[in-house]
């Protein structure tokens, strides 16, 4: 194989690279100069959720682990016979997104979607699980 | 070496542009399918696989056909294939890329395709198909590229490439065998439930793949002055002759077993394909055309004078290719689904969006093929100069 | 907080004992092992259980097609099975049709056993057909992701709609035509959604689940409930069960036995 060390059309190549770099880094320096940090959304609790004081697990844990808990629930309900979840402090819950989670958190737009939109995650739960049972009832 | 593919005539770029345009149209229709669902195709509850899976099956054959060059060249040191073996390998790369695209196009939930790896299931033939197809793709890319690179620099290919080449030979048989196993292990599908399906797939593959390759070399000779060599073409045409006759023989065995045993589950599919069943028979003219083309091709190929006449040979390869395509790309899949296991006759006809997506995938495959062949021809020219 | 995190993860560990839970959960669960009580998953106390669920359909007890239609309607409505006949062309409605339990004439339910001079009742009254929840299901063998699987506890063949990639290998494998594919989003075809059961999304396969969701809360399958005693349901492994009694006392047939799939839906004719 022939080895080439000469760079042809230096000006065009480097100008192109510069333009590329500017475009790629645009969001960073735009934010530095003109942007202001968007505030992280706070999910709104319904009065039922507030009254309950604690969810299946403490709030901090729910924040970081709810997706994994739902995954465990899903696996247990869909693939095994077990459908009841007993919390460490002894409370029982039916493992159902529509009928347990949304029972309290029926304000999906303010509770679920707000953060999901902010974090740019798009869970497909709602494709099949009715997203607002109270509304349909 | 990729830079070779960037330097070309206006015609070359025109061809690339045309392919790109077709790909774009196909992709637009794919987006439509992606949004609405597979309901935009002609598939149904009864015929749950259609044109996509049929093309996939046919193209696995074209890919496997490349081994008919690799095997004589590397195992028997048959020098005449030296110039075109790389064409066989790169044809395989292009064909397998199309296979993978057809599988993705056929999935109801393509975003979850990786579940096949996340939840590996060795009991499923589709799991093995995923492994053998991707393996064969990788083998042919690595082998083809390394050998070509060595040819360009006038050196020997690295020594580790030899075992890979030897591995690629049984692997080629493997891809089409596993693809046949997708079908022939299903209870209640009498048309596919036959031990001869894998051999028949291979025979048809070893006829259609090399026939397509002969056509490609003729096109290359016209457009680039690349000369495959007379002997190579003649030997290939003999290979095709044997393979085609084997294919027809296996089919005859199939027909005999079905007809003589007279078991409805086996015979009804053949009846549907060749004579129509309960007044349904969209495939009847196609199937007879396929049979006539394949038999005619066999008769022509058996004649040495016709094989030696390159115009006649090209014509024969063309009708052979069309015949095997109809046989496998139209009849094999639909025929297995009609009549249904409950003995309903619900026919399948592809829809326009389905056909456009199919053409788009073929264009993508040809784009891969054009670029790879462009590199091959470029390197050969460089070396000759 | 660290403790309860471990508790949750222990549950994940329990779940991981089942087949094919995500490897990531496995890794996390290895870090578990706290001393405080952990979260648990369990069956409902009143859940109906069996070693091997089976069904016996007494075709003699059906008087008209209306009896059958009622059962089909009951099943399809609680499972959110769509009907597109109001919103699409007849030809497409037929192609995209989804059914869990439906009517077939004798010659289609039992192809190969056709009889030209059939008993009048069988000639005019179709059979109810559904997933046979085979003992050795070809669909499970074919599935490349274990999205369809046979539940160890009770032998029901189930679908995990979350995992299905929509390759439709299971449909090709099923010799009973029991599986349907969502060729489009089903929701426009569902008149009134049942909140106790999810709908499906486009691109996944579905079929009868022997009402696993009802068994879990102590109810028999809907078709059994809607059949006025024509359909019996019970444990095939329990010699005292209703189905075993019916099988002892009546001559029964099953569909396509020669294929070795071992269907557990029996018919009394």
């Amino acid at each position: 194989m022939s080895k080439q060390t000469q760079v042809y059309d230096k000006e065009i190549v480097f100008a192109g690279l510069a333009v590329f770099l500017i475009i790629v880094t645009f969001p960073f320096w735009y934010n530095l100069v003109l942007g202001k940090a968007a505030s992280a959304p706070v999910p709104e609790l319904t009065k039922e959720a507030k009254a309950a004081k604690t969810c299946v697990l403490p709030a901090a844990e729910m924040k970081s682990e709810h997706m994994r808990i739902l995954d465990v629930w899903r696996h247990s309900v869909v693939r095994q016979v077990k459908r009841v979840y007993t919390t460490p402090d002894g409370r029982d819950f039916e493992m159902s997104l529509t009928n347990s989670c949304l029972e309290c958190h029926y304000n999906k737009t303010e509770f679920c979607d707000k953060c999901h939109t902010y974090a740019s995650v798009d869970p497909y739960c709602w494709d099949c699980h009715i997203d607002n049972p109270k509304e349909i009832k | 070496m990729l830079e070779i593919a960037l330097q070309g005539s206006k015609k070359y770029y025109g061809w690339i542009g045309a392919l790109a345009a077709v790909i774009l149209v196909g992709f637009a229709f794919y987006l439509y399918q992606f949004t609405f669902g597979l309901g935009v195709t002609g598939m149904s509850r009864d015929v749950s696989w259609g044109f996509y899976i049929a093309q996939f099956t046919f193209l696995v054959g074209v890919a496997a056909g490349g081994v008919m060059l690799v095997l004589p060249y590397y195992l028997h040191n048959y020098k005449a294939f030296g110039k075109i073996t790389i064409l066989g390998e790169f044809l395989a790369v292009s064909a397998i890329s199309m296979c993978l695209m057809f599988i993705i196009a056929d999935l109801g939930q393509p975003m979850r395709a990786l579940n096949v790896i996340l939840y590996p299931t060795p009991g499923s033939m589709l799991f093995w198909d995923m492994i053998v197809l991707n393996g064969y793709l990788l083998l042919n890319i690595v082998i083809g590229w390394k050998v070509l690179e060595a040819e360009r620099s006038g050196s020997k290919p690295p020594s580790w490439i030899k075992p890979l080449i030897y591995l690629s030979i049984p692997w080629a048989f493997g891809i089409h065998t596993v693809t046949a196993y997708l079908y022939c292990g299903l209870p209640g599908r009498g048309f596919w439930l036959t031990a001869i399906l894998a051999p028949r797939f291979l025979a048809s593959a070893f006829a259609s793949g090399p026939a397509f390759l002969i056509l490609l070399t003729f096109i290359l000779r016209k457009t680039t002055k690349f000369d495959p060599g007379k002997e190579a073409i003649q030997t290939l045409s003999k290979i095709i002759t044997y393979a085609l006759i084997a294919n027809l023989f296996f089919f005859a065995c199939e027909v005999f077993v079905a007809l003589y045993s007279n078991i409805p589950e086996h015979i009804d599919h053949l009846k549907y394909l060749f004579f129509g069943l309960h007044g349904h028979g969209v495939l009847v003219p196609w199937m007879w055309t396929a049979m006539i083309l394949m038999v005619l091709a066999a008769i022509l190929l058996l004649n040495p004078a016709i094989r030696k006449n390159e115009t006649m040979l090209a014509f024969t390869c063309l009708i052979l290719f069309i015949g095997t395509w109809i046989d496998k790309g139209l009849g094999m899949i639909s025929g297995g689904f009609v009549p249904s296991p409950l003995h309903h006759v619900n026919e399948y006809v592809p829809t326009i969006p389905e056909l456009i997506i199919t053409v788009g995938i073929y264009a993508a495959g040809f784009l891969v093929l054009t670029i790879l062949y462009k590199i091959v021809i470029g390197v050969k020219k460089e070396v000759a100069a | 907080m660290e403790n309860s995190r471990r508790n949750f993860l222990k549950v994940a560990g329990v779940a991981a004992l089942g087949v094919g839970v995500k490897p990531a959960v496995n890794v996390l669960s290895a870090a578990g092992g706290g001393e405080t009580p952990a979260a648990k998953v369990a069956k409902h106390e009143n859940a109906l259980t069996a070693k091997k669920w089976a069904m016996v359909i007494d075709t003699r007890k059906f008087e008209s097609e209306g009896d059958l239609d009622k059962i089909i309607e009951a099943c399809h409505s609680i499972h959110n099975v769509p009907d597109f006949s109001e919103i699409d062309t007849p030809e497409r409605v037929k192609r995209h049709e989804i059914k869990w339990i439906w009517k077939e004439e004798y010659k289609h339910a039992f192809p190969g056993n056709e009889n030209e001079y059939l008993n009048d009742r069988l000639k005019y009254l179709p059979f109810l057909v559904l997933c046979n929840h085979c003992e050795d299901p070809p669909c499970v063998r074919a599935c490349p992701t274990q999205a369809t699987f046979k539940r160890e506890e009770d032998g029901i063949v189930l679908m995990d709609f979350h995992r299905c990639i929509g390759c439709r290998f299971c449909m090709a494998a099923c010799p009973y035509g029991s599986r349907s594919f969502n060729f489009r989003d089903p929701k426009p075809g569902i008149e009134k959604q049942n909140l106790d059961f999810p709908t499906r999304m486009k691109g996944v396969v579905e079929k009868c689940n022997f009402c696993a969701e009802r068994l879990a809360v102590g109810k028999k399958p809907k078709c059994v409930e809607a059949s006025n005693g024509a359909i019996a349901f019970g444990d095939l492994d329990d010699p005292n069960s209703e189905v075993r009694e019916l099988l002892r006392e009546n001559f029964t047939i099953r569909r396509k036995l020669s294929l070795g799939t071992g269907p557990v839906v029996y018919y009394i004719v």
Side-chain angles (χ1 to χ4, degrees), chain B residues 34-35 39 41-43 45 48-49 106 108-109 112 115 119-121 123-124 182 189 341-344 346, chain C residues 20 94-96 104 108 141-142 144 146 161 163-169 171-172 177 180 183 201-202 255-256:
Chain B
F34 186 79
T35 327
T41 70
M43 289 183 270
R45 204 176 176 285
S48 48
W49 281 336
D106 190 66
Q109 283 289 337
R112 297 184 192 159
N115 277 3
Y119 308 102
T121 314
S124 170
L182 289 178
R189 303 278 177 193
L342 303 193
H343 232 86
H344 289 294
N346 286 316
Chain C
K94 186 165 191 224
R95 283 214 307 264
H96 303 167
E104 282 300 343
H108 292 302
R141 216 153 48 218
Q146 294 148 44
F161 303 119
R163 196 186 282 185
C164 176
I165 59 172
C167 70
R168 310 189 294 300
F169 202 179
M171 295 177 77
S180 308
F183 280 101
M201 65 205 300
K202 65 166 186 270
R255 296 172 67 201
K256 298 196 178 186

Side-chain angles (χ1 to χ4, degrees), chain B residues 32-50 52-53 106-110 112-127 181-183 185-189 192-193 265 337 340-346 349 351, chain C residues 20-23 88 92 94-100 102 104 107-109 111 114 129 138 140-146 160-169 171-185 201-204 255-256 258-259 261:
Chain B
Y32 166 53
Q33 178 188 299
F34 186 79
T35 327
F36 183 86
L38 280 164
V40 304
T41 70
M43 289 183 270
S44 63
R45 204 176 176 285
D46 274 359
V47 187
S48 48
W49 281 336
Y52 299 145
I53 291 296
D106 190 66
L107 290 184
Q109 283 289 337
R112 297 184 192 159
L114 289 181
N115 277 3
V116 179
I117 297 164
L118 282 174
Y119 308 102
T121 314
S124 170
M125 283 302 118
L126 209 57
F127 171 77
Y181 284 3
L182 289 178
Y183 307 105
L186 305 176
R189 303 278 177 193
W192 300 329
L193 192 67
E265 258 170 62
F337 281 108
S340 79
L342 303 193
H343 232 86
H344 289 294
V345 182
N346 286 316
V349 180
T351 58
Chain C
V21 80
K22 271 189 194 141
D88 216 335
R92 273 165 59 115
K94 186 165 191 224
R95 283 214 307 264
H96 303 167
E97 187 183 20
I98 291 176
K99 43 194 185 188
W100 285 28
W102 71 101
E104 282 300 343
K107 63 176 180 192
H108 292 302
E114 300 93 335
V129 292
V140 170
R141 216 153 48 218
C143 178
T145 62
Q146 294 148 44
D160 185 343
F161 303 119
H162 307 97
R163 196 186 282 185
C164 176
I165 59 172
C167 70
R168 310 189 294 300
F169 202 179
M171 295 177 77
C174 177
Y176 304 103
S178 294
R179 293 176 161 268
S180 308
F181 181 69
N182 284 279
F183 280 101
R184 49 172 300 172
D185 179 21
M201 65 205 300
K202 65 166 186 270
V204 298
R255 296 172 67 201
K256 298 196 178 186
S258 64
L259 299 180
T261 53

Side-chain angles (χ1 to χ4, degrees), chain C residues 208-228:
Chain C
C208 156
N209 66 349
F210 256 8
C211 281
E213 85 284 4
R214 287 169 61 88
L215 296 173
V217 295
K219 294 183 202 160
K220 287 212 170 166
K222 192 72 186 176
C223 56
V224 177
E225 192 182 285
S227 72
N228 274 330

